[in-house]
Amino acid sequence: MGISLLTICYLIASVTFILGLKMLSNPASARKGNLIAAAGMTIAIIGTIFLYEDNAEKLHNHAWIFGGIFIGGVVGTLAAKKVKMTAMPEMVSLFNGMGGACAALISISEFHNLGINTTPGWEMPDGGQTKLLIIFLGLIIGSVSFAGSIIAWGKLNGRIKDFAFTGQQIFNIILLLVAVSIAAYLIFNISDTNYYLFYVVLAVAISYGILFVFPIGGADMPVVISLLNSFTGVAAACGGFLYDNKAMLTGGILVGSAGTLLTILMCKAMNRSLANVLIGSFGGSAKTTSGTTKEQGAYKEISLSDAAMVMTYAHKVMIVPGYGLAVAQAQHACHELEKLLTEKGVEVKYAIHPVAGRMPGHMNVLLAEADVSYDNLLEMEQANEEFPTTDVVLVLGANDVVNPAAKTDPSSPIYGMPILDVELAKTCIVNKRSMKPGYAGIENDLFFQPKTSMLFGDAKKVLQDLIGEIKNL
Amino acid sequence: METIFNWISSNQQMIYIVILMIFLGVEVIGRVPSVLHTPLMSGANAIHGVVIIGAIIVMGKAESDNYLALTLGFLAVVLGTINVVGGFVVTDRMLEMFKKKK
C-alpha cells in the first residue's frame, strides 16, 4: 500500500515537471507552471520521507532529514528573496552548484554503501559494475557542475577574473580523459588496494570543472550556466538509475535535454555556436585582435539640459537599456523619465536586445520590476523596424549590442551578432560611465559617429538629473 | 558483448524513459521566446533539484553510528533543499515581475 502510494506520488511529480516546464516556456502561464512543478516536488519529497521502503524497511533519521530540509529551506528562501535583481544569474548559478554537489555527495555515499566492508578496504559485490558506473557518472558530472557553477558565480559577481594559459583546452581534455580512464579502470579492477582512487577521480573532476569555466568570458556565463544546469540534470538522473526512482530519472533527463536545447537557443540569440562559446574564450582573445586596429575619431559630449531639450521636443524616443542600467539600479528612474516624456506627448518605447545585460531577458525582468508596461518593450526585430522613424535614441549603459562593428567589421569578435540598428535614428544619445569598452573588450564606432553624442555618468544619476531638467523646461 | 545486451534488456524500462524524456524535453521548450530564457533556466534548475530525493534516501538509510554516511547525507539534504527551494523562489520572483504589468 505504502509503496504503491509512493509510486503514485512519483508519477504525479513526473507529470508536474513536464507540465511545469511546458508552461514555463509561455509568458502567460509561466508563473503557474513554476508553482505546479514546485507542488509536484513537494509531493515527491514528502512521499519519499514517509513512504519509501528499502527491503520492507522504512527510512529513519527523520530528525536529521527534517533538520537538513529546514536549514536548506531557510537558507534557500532567504538567499532567493534577498538577492538583487542584478544578481539573479549568479544566484541561479549558485543554486545549480548546490544541486551538483548534492549529486556528487550521493555518489560518494553510495560508493561506500556499495562496497562490502572489509576493514580496512573495499570490495566489489557481485554484479556491482553497473552501479559503480552510474556512481562514477553521477560523481564526475555532479562535481564538474558544482565546481563550474561556483566559478561562474565568482565571475559574474566579479570576484574571479578571466584566467587562461596556452594549451589550456588540451590540458582540460587530458584532465577529463584522466578522470574517465581512472573511473573505467576502477569499474573493472577495483580492489581494497586501489579503491581510494575514487577520490582521485573526484579531485580531477573538480579541477576540470574549474579549468573548464575559467577561460570563458563573463559575457558568456549565462550560456555556461545553462549548460552546467543541464549537466546537473543528468547527474540527478544518475541518482534515478541508482535508486530505480522514476521521478528523479524523468526530472533529471527532462532538465538535461531541455537545458541542452536552451543552451543552444541562447547561443543562437547571440548568433554563435556553442563550440565557439566554449573554446573561443571571447573576452581573452578579442582584446588583442581588435581595438587597436582603427584610428578613433573624436566623440562629442552633450550637456544635460541639451539632452533634456532634444528629448522633450522629439516625437518618438527609443530607450536602449543595457547592463549599465542594471548596475546603477536605474530602472525606476528610467520608468519615471518615460512617464514624464509621455505626459509631454512624446512616444517612448524600449528596444530590448535579446542578450542585453548579463542574461537573456535580463532587461525585461528589470524593467518589469519598475512597472514598465509590457507593450512598450520592443523585441529586436520590431525595434529595428522603428529606428528609422525615431527621433532620439537613448542608450543606457548598453555597448556591444549597439556596436555597428557586428555588421561591418568581419575581424571583430562580435561580427555576425544581430544588433540594434540605433544609427538609423536621427540622433543618438549614449549614456556610459566612461569611454571604456564594453564586455567584449572592443571599441564601438557608434560613439564616434556625428549623430551620436555622449552623456557620461552613472545611469541613475544622469536619469534623475534629466528628469529634473525636463521638469524645469 | 553479451553483457551489454543483457544489461540493455534488464534495464529496458529505464532506457525507454531516458529516450522519451530526451525528446520530450526538446519538444516542450522548443518555442520559448528569448524573454523567458532566464526564468526557464531557473525553473529547470529548480526541477533538477529532484536529486534531493536521493539525498533523503541516503540519509534515511544511514545507520545511526555511521557518521560518514550521516554527514554526507545531511550535507546532501541541505544542499539539495537549497537548490529546490531557492530555485523555485527565485523563478517565482522573476516571473512575478512579468505578471504585474498585465
Side-chain angles (χ1 to χ4, degrees):
Chain A
M1 173 63 192
I3 278 291
S4 16
L5 205 56
L6 183 60
T7 311
I8 294 171
C9 286
Y10 286 156
L11 197 61
I12 295 173
S14 302
V15 174
T16 58
F17 294 161
I18 299 168
L19 219 65
L21 218 49
K22 171 95 196 148
M23 292 169 88
L24 267 171
S25 53
N26 184 332
S29 58
R31 197 167 177 207
K32 215 188 267 169
N34 183 50
L35 292 178
I36 286 179
M41 184 73 76
T42 316
I43 293 174
I45 290 173
I46 294 177
T48 308
I49 296 174
F50 292 108
L51 298 171
Y52 186 87
E53 279 176 28
D54 190 34
N55 296 327
E57 202 183 323
K58 294 231 177 210
L59 293 176
H60 42 271
N61 297 327
H62 281 162
W64 285 82
I65 295 176
F66 283 116
I69 291 181
F70 178 73
I71 296 177
V74 170
V75 173
T77 313
L78 282 183
K81 289 256 180 212
K82 285 271 152 68
V83 64
K84 284 198 201 103
M85 263 302 142
T86 43
M88 282 289 189
E90 284 141 76
M91 211 63 235
V92 173
S93 179
L94 204 57
F95 289 147
N96 181 47
M98 300 292 136
C102 181
L105 286 171
I106 291 172
S107 278
I108 296 174
S109 197
E110 283 303 316
F111 175 75
H112 286 279
N113 287 347
L114 180 64
I116 297 164
N117 270 327
T118 52
T119 34
W122 199 95
E123 202 179 300
M124 179 85 110
D126 289 337
Q129 257 110 357
T130 308
K131 270 204 157 180
L132 192 55
L133 169 73
I134 292 162
I135 288 175
F136 269 122
L137 271 179
L139 178 80
I140 295 175
I141 302 173
S143 37
V144 166
S145 177
F146 164 67
S149 299
I150 299 299
I151 298 295
W153 168 75
K155 279 207 165 197
L156 277 175
N157 66 19
R159 274 171 226 219
I160 298 173
K161 295 272 162 275
D162 292 3
F163 164 84
F165 51 86
T166 32
Q168 183 163 6
Q169 301 301 339
I170 297 160
F171 184 76
N172 284 356
I173 292 168
I174 292 174
L175 265 186
L176 189 61
L177 283 180
V178 166
V180 171
S181 17
I182 298 178
Y185 172 77
L186 281 183
I187 289 170
F188 293 105
N189 299 303
I190 194 159
S191 68
D192 59 352
T193 52
N194 65 10
Y195 75 99
Y196 61 85
L197 283 176
F198 179 84
Y199 289 99
V200 176
V201 175
L202 172 65
V204 174
I206 289 182
S207 334
Y208 174 75
I210 295 173
L211 290 175
F212 161 70
V213 181
F214 245 133
I216 301 172
D220 288 335
M221 273 311 132
V223 176
V224 175
I225 296 172
S226 174
L227 186 68
L228 293 173
N229 191 23
S230 64
F231 280 6
T232 313
V234 177
C238 290
F241 258 107
L242 218 49
Y243 300 113
D244 195 15
N245 184 315
K246 307 288 192 296
M248 284 173 84
L249 192 66
T250 40
I253 296 288
L254 199 60
V255 173
S257 96
T260 310
L261 178 67
L262 185 58
T263 313
I264 294 169
L265 288 177
M266 282 186 183
C267 289
K268 268 203 193 132
M270 296 194 281
N271 202 23
R272 298 170 62 207
S273 74
L274 182 57
N276 182 275
V277 170
L278 296 182
I279 298 167
S281 28
F282 206 163
S285 59
K287 274 171 202 131
T288 49
T289 51
S290 63
T292 49
T293 47
K294 238 176 269 157
E295 270 297 299
Q296 295 295 8
Y299 57 86
K300 66 170 185 286
E301 278 190 62
I302 187 169
S303 72
L304 271 168
S305 49
D306 283 352
M309 189 83 84
V310 172
M311 286 168 72
T312 316
Y313 293 107
H315 288 290
K316 183 146 101 186
V317 173
M318 191 84 82
I319 299 176
V320 179
Y323 188 61
L325 179 88
V327 171
Q329 286 289 308
Q331 62 271 35
H332 293 284
C334 189
H335 182 48
E336 210 174 313
L337 176 74
E338 174 215 321
K339 276 192 295 191
L340 192 62
L341 286 173
T342 313
E343 275 166 28
K344 304 229 173 208
V346 184
E347 185 185 356
V348 184
K349 289 203 171 134
Y350 294 85
I352 311 290
H353 190 276
V355 296
R358 285 293 178 274
M359 58 179 185
H362 198 171
M363 292 303 129
N364 301 73
V365 172
L366 205 65
L367 292 172
E369 190 196 347
D371 278 332
V372 174
S373 161
Y374 201 62
D375 304 328
N376 289 339
L377 306 185
L378 301 184
E379 294 206 11
M380 185 169 54
E381 289 79 17
Q382 286 171 294
N384 280 343
E385 277 169 27
E386 296 211 9
F387 278 128
T389 58
T390 303
D391 301 303
V392 182
V393 169
L394 178 63
V395 178
L396 292 170
N399 189 345
D400 296 328
V401 297
V402 292
N403 193 337
K407 286 187 156 174
T408 54
D409 178 9
S411 71
S412 168
I414 61 166
Y415 182 68
M417 181 172 92
I419 55 159
L420 291 165
D421 302 317
V422 292
E423 73 266 28
L424 295 179
K426 294 199 183 74
T427 44
C428 183
I429 301 172
V430 178
N431 164 242
K432 270 171 72 54
R433 274 169 298 178
S434 66
M435 278 309 281
K436 269 200 291 202
Y439 222 90
I442 43 182
E443 289 289 351
N444 194 337
D445 283 343
L446 176 73
F447 305 156
F448 305 103
Q449 284 176 0
K451 274 189 212 170
T452 309
S453 27
M454 307 298 292
L455 187 57
F456 292 112
D458 173 82
K460 191 173 186 175
K461 186 162 181 311
V462 165
L463 282 171
Q464 281 163 347
D465 293 347
L466 265 181
I467 292 165
E469 289 285 345
I470 294 175
K471 277 185 181 153
N472 288 338
L473 273 177
Chain B
M1 213 50 196
E2 184 118 343
T3 45
I4 296 179
F5 286 146
N6 281 340
W7 186 84
I8 291 177
S9 62
S10 59
N11 289 295
Q12 50 167 315
Q13 229 195 343
M14 293 291 202
I15 295 168
Y16 269 105
I17 295 183
V18 169
I19 293 170
L20 290 177
M21 281 303 142
I22 290 174
F23 282 97
L24 192 60
V26 170
E27 219 34 62
V28 152
I29 66 149
R31 288 164 167 272
V32 57
S34 63
V35 182
L36 280 178
H37 279 175
T38 301
L40 182 63
M41 172 169 90
S42 178
N45 174 47
I47 290 176
H48 72 49
V50 72
V51 70
I52 173 113
I53 291 180
I56 293 173
I57 295 175
V58 165
M59 181 83 254
K61 281 199 306 191
E63 301 301 328
S64 45
D65 57 346
N66 185 346
Y67 292 108
L68 178 71
L70 283 177
T71 321
L72 288 179
F74 185 70
L75 260 178
V77 170
V78 172
L79 295 181
T81 317
I82 294 180
N83 186 182
V84 173
V85 176
F88 281 123
V89 175
V90 156
T91 313
D92 193 57
R93 259 190 74 188
M94 284 184 201
L95 292 170
E96 186 183 26
M97 294 172 178
F98 281 87
K99 203 91 198 250
K100 233 191 284 174
K101 70 245 133 152
K102 285 216 169 147

